[in-house]
Amino acid sequence: MDIRKIQIMAKKKIQLGQLLLRGFHWMDDGLQRGLQSKGWPEITHAQSMLIIAVGEGINRPSDIAKYLGVSRQAVHQSLNEIVKMGILEMLPDPTDGRAKVVSVSEDAQPMVMDARKVNSNLEKSLAKQLGVDRVKMLREILEEDWGRVD
């Protein structure tokens, strides 16, 4: 690629969604490396997103699929893989005997604690790189209720 094409590409404004996804990947890659350094198994970004959904209290596979914007089949495939790894478990839904709910397994509770520590360290690292005030502002913006998409 010649220098003019690179300069033109550099001048294009990157879309916000791409920037948010870039930020997610930065955090998720850091989390993955941090957890692997503590002996936890490697998981995919898709599996990580599923675990995040469960961490937010979304525990029915159909609701997870809606939340992530993927098919129920994709969620079930990732769930089956994560359940085999011993990270999540499927339990009978106490309100609907035909359904299942997803939760973090007892064996994975130490992983959750390690993930919290790693995420805290990643946020501190980001504050060192970007500045404490900017990371605080980013957090405040991301915590806002953005309303419905029109």
Side-chain angles (χ1 to χ4, degrees), residues 15 22 27 34 50 54 73 87 93 103 109 115 133 139 143 147:
Q15 294 183 358
R22 183 187 296 172
M27 292 292 294
L50 197 148
V54 172
Q73 293 83 356
I87 297 171
D93 185 334
S103 67
Q109 290 302 322
D133 290 342
R139 173 174 276 289
E143 287 175 345

Short mmCIF file of all heavy atoms in Angstrom, two decimals, residues 15 22 27 34 50 54 73 87 93 103 109 115 133 139 143 147:
data_model
loop_
_atom_site.label_atom_id
_atom_site.label_comp_id
_atom_site.label_asym_id
_atom_site.label_seq_id
_atom_site.Cartn_x
_atom_site.Cartn_y
_atom_site.Cartn_z
N GLN A 15 -15.57 4.96 13.13
CA GLN A 15 -16.91 4.96 13.70
C GLN A 15 -16.86 4.59 15.19
O GLN A 15 -16.02 3.81 15.63
CB GLN A 15 -17.80 3.99 12.95
CG GLN A 15 -18.05 4.43 11.51
CD GLN A 15 -19.00 3.51 10.79
OE1 GLN A 15 -19.47 2.50 11.32
NE2 GLN A 15 -19.30 3.85 9.55
N ARG A 22 -13.00 -1.91 19.77
CA ARG A 22 -11.56 -1.91 20.00
C ARG A 22 -11.28 -1.89 21.51
O ARG A 22 -10.42 -2.61 22.01
CB ARG A 22 -10.92 -0.70 19.33
CG ARG A 22 -9.41 -0.67 19.47
CD ARG A 22 -8.83 0.63 18.95
NE ARG A 22 -9.05 0.82 17.52
CZ ARG A 22 -8.77 1.94 16.88
NH1 ARG A 22 -8.25 2.97 17.52
NH2 ARG A 22 -8.98 2.04 15.59
N MET A 27 -9.73 -4.70 26.63
CA MET A 27 -10.04 -5.20 27.97
C MET A 27 -10.11 -6.72 28.00
O MET A 27 -9.55 -7.35 28.89
CB MET A 27 -11.38 -4.62 28.47
CG MET A 27 -11.38 -3.14 28.74
SD MET A 27 -10.36 -2.62 30.13
CE MET A 27 -11.22 -3.35 31.51
N GLY A 34 -4.45 -12.18 31.71
CA GLY A 34 -4.35 -12.19 33.17
C GLY A 34 -4.86 -13.48 33.77
O GLY A 34 -4.24 -14.04 34.69
N LEU A 50 -20.54 -14.14 26.65
CA LEU A 50 -21.58 -14.91 27.30
C LEU A 50 -21.41 -14.87 28.82
O LEU A 50 -22.38 -14.66 29.56
CB LEU A 50 -21.52 -16.35 26.78
CG LEU A 50 -22.74 -17.20 27.02
CD1 LEU A 50 -22.91 -18.19 25.89
CD2 LEU A 50 -22.66 -17.92 28.33
N VAL A 54 -23.98 -13.34 31.79
CA VAL A 54 -24.38 -14.04 33.02
C VAL A 54 -23.99 -13.19 34.24
O VAL A 54 -24.76 -13.07 35.20
CB VAL A 54 -23.75 -15.45 33.09
CG1 VAL A 54 -24.00 -16.10 34.44
CG2 VAL A 54 -24.29 -16.32 31.96
N GLN A 73 -29.01 -20.94 19.06
CA GLN A 73 -28.12 -22.06 18.76
C GLN A 73 -26.67 -21.68 19.07
O GLN A 73 -25.92 -22.49 19.61
CB GLN A 73 -28.26 -22.49 17.29
CG GLN A 73 -29.60 -23.10 16.95
CD GLN A 73 -30.68 -22.06 16.65
OE1 GLN A 73 -30.48 -20.85 16.76
NE2 GLN A 73 -31.87 -22.53 16.29
N ILE A 87 -16.86 -23.83 33.92
CA ILE A 87 -16.96 -22.42 34.30
C ILE A 87 -18.41 -22.04 34.61
O ILE A 87 -18.68 -21.38 35.61
CB ILE A 87 -16.38 -21.51 33.19
CG1 ILE A 87 -14.89 -21.82 33.01
CG2 ILE A 87 -16.61 -20.04 33.51
CD1 ILE A 87 -14.25 -21.16 31.81
N ASP A 93 -34.69 -24.12 35.99
CA ASP A 93 -35.27 -22.81 36.32
C ASP A 93 -36.30 -23.02 37.42
O ASP A 93 -37.25 -23.79 37.24
CB ASP A 93 -35.91 -22.20 35.07
CG ASP A 93 -36.43 -20.80 35.28
OD1 ASP A 93 -36.75 -20.44 36.44
OD2 ASP A 93 -36.52 -20.05 34.30
N SER A 103 -25.60 -20.28 35.47
CA SER A 103 -24.92 -19.61 36.57
C SER A 103 -23.45 -20.01 36.57
O SER A 103 -23.06 -20.99 35.93
CB SER A 103 -25.57 -19.94 37.92
OG SER A 103 -25.36 -21.30 38.24
N GLN A 109 -15.79 -20.03 41.00
CA GLN A 109 -15.85 -18.83 41.84
C GLN A 109 -14.47 -18.19 42.03
O GLN A 109 -14.35 -16.97 41.96
CB GLN A 109 -16.51 -19.14 43.19
CG GLN A 109 -18.00 -19.43 43.10
CD GLN A 109 -18.80 -18.30 42.48
OE1 GLN A 109 -18.54 -17.12 42.72
NE2 GLN A 109 -19.78 -18.66 41.67
N ALA A 115 -10.78 -12.67 38.02
CA ALA A 115 -11.20 -11.79 36.93
C ALA A 115 -11.44 -10.38 37.45
O ALA A 115 -11.07 -9.39 36.80
CB ALA A 115 -12.45 -12.33 36.25
N ASP A 133 -8.72 11.18 35.31
CA ASP A 133 -9.95 11.93 35.03
C ASP A 133 -10.63 11.43 33.76
O ASP A 133 -11.86 11.35 33.71
CB ASP A 133 -9.66 13.42 34.92
CG ASP A 133 -9.29 14.04 36.26
OD1 ASP A 133 -9.58 13.42 37.31
OD2 ASP A 133 -8.70 15.14 36.26
N ARG A 139 -15.93 5.96 32.30
CA ARG A 139 -16.78 5.10 33.13
C ARG A 139 -18.16 5.73 33.32
O ARG A 139 -19.18 5.06 33.19
CB ARG A 139 -16.11 4.85 34.47
CG ARG A 139 -16.98 4.10 35.46
CD ARG A 139 -16.23 3.76 36.71
NE ARG A 139 -15.47 2.53 36.55
CZ ARG A 139 -16.01 1.32 36.46
NH1 ARG A 139 -17.31 1.18 36.49
NH2 ARG A 139 -15.25 0.27 36.32
N GLU A 143 -21.68 4.16 32.04
CA GLU A 143 -22.67 3.77 33.05
C GLU A 143 -24.02 4.41 32.83
O GLU A 143 -25.02 3.98 33.40
CB GLU A 143 -22.16 4.11 34.46
CG GLU A 143 -21.05 3.19 34.93
CD GLU A 143 -20.45 3.61 36.27
OE1 GLU A 143 -20.69 4.76 36.72
OE2 GLU A 143 -19.75 2.78 36.86
N GLY A 147 -30.70 4.80 26.71
CA GLY A 147 -32.04 4.75 26.14
C GLY A 147 -32.16 3.73 25.03
O GLY A 147 -31.24 2.96 24.77
#
